[in-house]
Amino acid sequence: MELFAWLNAQLLRMDWLAALVRLLLEEGLGLDTASRVGASVHFFIYDVIKIFILLGGLIFGISWVQSYFPPERTRRILGGLRGVRANLMGALLGTLTPFCSCSSIPLFIGFTSSGLPLGVTFAFLISSPLVDLASVILLASIFNWSIALAYVLLGIVLAVLGGSLIGRARMERHVEAFVMHNKVLDLPDSQLSRRDRLQFSWEQVCEVFGRVWLYVLIGVGIGAAIHNWIPQEVVLALLGEDRWWSVPLATLVGVPMYADIFGTLPIAEALVAKGVGLGTALAFMMAVTALSLPSLIMLKKVVKGPLLALFFTIVVVGIMLIGVLFNRFAYLLI
């Protein structure tokens, strides 16, 4: 147990990196990291470096695994399943795709045009931006493994239930016609050499970095500001656990924004450090990543109003319920 705690502290939380950054700031620049400015600079540098180190290694490894599951193979695997089992597989597949909500939509189109049931494709669409292996590791590095695993479990449950409800609603007629007739091009897995897989994994790392780096910097910057400059009384007055509106407010505030989970995690970390309920912080994070306004606009081009409204309602209600559950039972995970 002590060995696991040490590995978690050094490999995930990277305590050595925090100590190194503190040493460089204090000894190299003469900056007091106990002051507001020093603490903000330390928070920013440490979190940015930690997130990018974890992100690079995780995306490369996940992409290597993904190279063995091109769309046609995925369709064959999922095509023989029905009902909850199929939706569960779609949700689990989403955990292997390190994509934001906007990037998940092209895959959603591909899976739908391949003939997969609508419930399966929506289970994937919900879980892909919400729960992926990289975010799990980052959650564990910021909070702990109990919280990370509970988040994954509830995220997958939301994806499966959401997909099942949409599948039972039989709303295929509300999918735009071009999606059903979209051609899917695929490269057989057998044609990929080790060099191809390395290149694919590296390209995925570069693509994800290119997409998220700005949001990571903005997110960490906001987190540093909340952590060191905004008075705790102000934060608690708006989002304190004793405020019944904290979870709904955090969810609705998060919807218009657009960022990857990697950019919102530092904000959630700073909010929790200020005394905001864990569920409230996670509800904000989930709303930003799963229901961003740009992704809803893109999805509107793919599905019609009634289906979009059903998807939005299911995910919003699900996120709020998850937030309330985390606030109520967080003490069991800490």
Side-chain angles (χ1 to χ4, degrees):
M1 195 65 180
E2 291 183 4
L3 177 61
F4 178 80
W6 183 85
L7 290 173
N8 191 68
Q10 300 304 320
L11 297 180
L12 296 185
R13 287 207 314 268
M14 296 190 189
D15 290 352
W16 59 270
L17 178 62
L20 178 61
V21 172
R22 183 177 295 107
L23 178 66
L24 291 175
L25 290 176
E26 292 180 345
E27 300 298 328
L29 300 178
L31 192 61
D32 181 11
T33 55
S35 67
R36 279 189 174 182
V37 173
S40 299
V41 173
H42 179 272
F43 184 102
F44 185 85
I45 295 175
Y46 162 63
D47 261 35
V48 166
I49 295 175
K50 180 184 71 173
I51 288 173
F52 280 134
I53 289 175
L54 289 173
L55 195 56
L58 290 167
I59 297 302
F60 189 90
I62 292 168
S63 299
W64 181 275
V65 174
Q66 280 182 303
S67 69
Y68 288 92
F69 294 93
E72 179 56 28
R73 170 177 280 192
T74 302
R75 188 194 67 79
R76 289 198 303 269
I77 293 172
L78 296 178
L81 301 175
R82 291 291 181 271
V84 175
R85 285 182 61 198
N87 296 338
L88 177 60
M89 288 299 295
L92 292 175
L93 178 65
T95 67
L96 296 176
T97 53
F99 300 132
C100 64
S101 51
C102 290
S103 302
S104 300
I105 291 175
L107 278 175
F108 165 80
I109 294 173
F111 290 152
T112 304
S113 63
S114 296
L116 291 179
L118 205 57
V120 177
T121 57
F122 269 97
F124 167 83
L125 187 63
I126 294 171
S127 71
S128 182
L130 205 59
V131 184
D132 62 67
L133 296 180
S135 66
V136 174
I137 300 298
L138 287 173
L139 266 172
S141 73
I142 291 174
F143 301 111
N144 61 45
W145 276 104
S146 297
I147 291 173
L149 294 176
Y151 171 84
V152 171
L153 177 62
L154 291 175
I156 291 176
V157 168
L158 173 59
V160 173
L161 289 178
S164 298
L165 289 173
I166 291 173
R168 286 183 176 274
R170 302 194 179 282
M171 303 189 76
E172 285 77 7
R173 66 186 183 281
H174 293 295
V175 178
E176 296 292 349
F178 81 90
V179 175
M180 296 300 188
H181 302 98
N182 188 51
K183 293 183 178 180
V184 179
L185 298 178
D186 195 18
L187 180 64
D189 173 64
S190 59
Q191 294 184 16
L192 291 176
S193 65
R194 178 177 296 181
R195 183 174 181 177
D196 292 330
R197 298 186 198 282
L198 287 171
Q199 182 176 351
F200 170 75
S201 301
W202 176 247
E203 288 174 352
Q204 287 293 98
V205 171
C206 294
E207 180 183 340
V208 171
F209 267 63
R211 191 177 67 239
V212 309
W213 70 269
L214 181 59
Y215 298 110
V216 170
L217 296 183
I218 293 173
V220 175
I222 294 173
I226 293 173
H227 195 276
N228 297 289
W229 294 93
I230 300 180
Q232 186 172 14
E233 304 78 42
V234 174
V235 176
L236 292 180
L238 291 173
L239 297 173
E241 283 192 75
D242 58 334
R243 311 294 183 182
W244 66 264
W245 63 76
S246 64
V247 171
L249 177 61
T251 303
L252 295 177
V253 167
V255 169
M257 301 182 182
Y258 175 65
D260 287 79
I261 194 169
F262 314 112
T264 54
L265 268 170
I267 300 176
E269 177 187 13
L271 288 173
V272 171
K274 283 292 184 180
V276 172
L278 178 63
T280 303
L282 292 181
F284 169 78
M285 183 183 75
M286 295 169 80
V288 172
T289 54
L291 289 173
S292 66
L293 187 59
S295 72
L296 292 176
I297 293 172
M298 287 181 64
L299 192 58
K300 180 63 179 69
K301 303 296 184 181
V302 178
V303 302
K304 298 175 184 177
L307 180 51
L308 181 65
L310 178 61
F311 165 75
F312 181 83
T313 301
I314 289 172
V315 177
V316 165
V317 172
I319 288 174
M320 289 183 182
L321 287 175
I322 290 173
V324 170
L325 285 172
F326 264 106
N327 276 349
R328 179 68 179 83
F329 299 105
Y331 70 93
L332 298 174
L333 305 172
I334 298 175

